[in-house]
């Protein structure tokens, strides 16, 4: 059982996943800091000094919808998704493009051409 566990841990996929989780956690802290320390104060300025976290809507007395936190989480998600999109796009540009497989029709044409060449060589 210990041997199997060592083999499981030594696989590249598990190590890659562990690295991704650690880097993802650090990246989340960066994005949260950008949203909380930069974007939220700008929105607070635009809302006449009301802290972003305190933005609420009270349709009925005693019922508060605290949408400030929800908006903060949505902004964090959008920034994270956009940065991940940019990273994936950059990696795709760096990766070699896969060679397109020839279609069966192209292969048939090539096979026929090779047969004709073979037959012509035999005829000589």
């Amino acid at each position: 059982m210990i041997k199997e566990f060592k083999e499981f841990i030594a696989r590249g996929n598990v190590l890659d996943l562990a690295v991704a989780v650690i880097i993802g956690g650090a990246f989340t802290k960066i994005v949260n800091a950008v949203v909380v320390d930069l974007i939220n104060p700008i929105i607070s300025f635009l809302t006449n000094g009301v802290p972003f976290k305190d933005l609420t809507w009270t349709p009925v007395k005693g019922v508060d919808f605290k949408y400030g936190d929800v908006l903060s989480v949505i902004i964090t998600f959008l920034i994270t998704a956009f940065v991940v999109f940019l990273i994936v796009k950059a990696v795709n540009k760096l990766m070699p493009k896969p060679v397109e497989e020839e279609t069966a029709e192209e292969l048939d044409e090539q096979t026929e051409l090779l047969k004709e060449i073979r037959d012509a060589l035999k005829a000589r």
Side-chain angles (χ1 to χ4, degrees):
M1 188 171 192
I2 293 174
K3 181 182 175 187
E4 289 176 326
F5 181 70
K6 285 181 183 179
E7 290 174 3
F8 172 75
I9 292 298
R11 287 186 194 160
N13 296 350
V14 174
L15 295 176
D16 290 344
L17 180 61
V19 169
V21 168
I22 291 168
I23 290 178
F27 181 69
T28 300
K29 289 180 182 180
I30 292 170
V31 172
N32 285 337
V34 168
V35 171
V36 170
D37 297 333
L38 296 175
I39 295 175
N40 287 357
I42 292 170
I43 294 174
S44 179
F45 174 75
L46 296 174
T47 59
N48 294 323
V50 176
F52 195 70
K53 189 174 186 173
D54 294 340
L55 292 176
T56 58
W57 176 53
T58 309
V60 178
K61 187 175 181 178
V63 177
D64 293 332
F65 290 101
K66 297 180 180 182
Y67 63 90
D69 286 335
V70 175
L71 290 177
S72 180
V73 171
I74 291 171
I75 292 169
T76 302
F77 170 77
L78 291 175
I79 291 172
T80 305
F82 182 70
V83 171
V84 169
F85 166 76
L86 293 177
I87 291 170
V88 169
K89 191 171 180 174
V91 168
N92 285 340
K93 282 186 179 180
L94 295 175
M95 299 296 289
K97 294 184 179 180
V99 178
E100 293 181 24
E101 294 183 19
E102 295 177 315
T103 62
E105 189 175 297
E106 291 173 339
L107 289 175
D108 289 341
E109 290 175 13
Q110 288 178 358
T111 303
E112 289 301 317
L113 183 60
L114 288 172
K115 285 180 183 178
E116 289 175 16
I117 293 171
R118 179 197 63 200
D119 294 342
L121 290 172
K122 278 185 183 178
R124 284 189 182 176

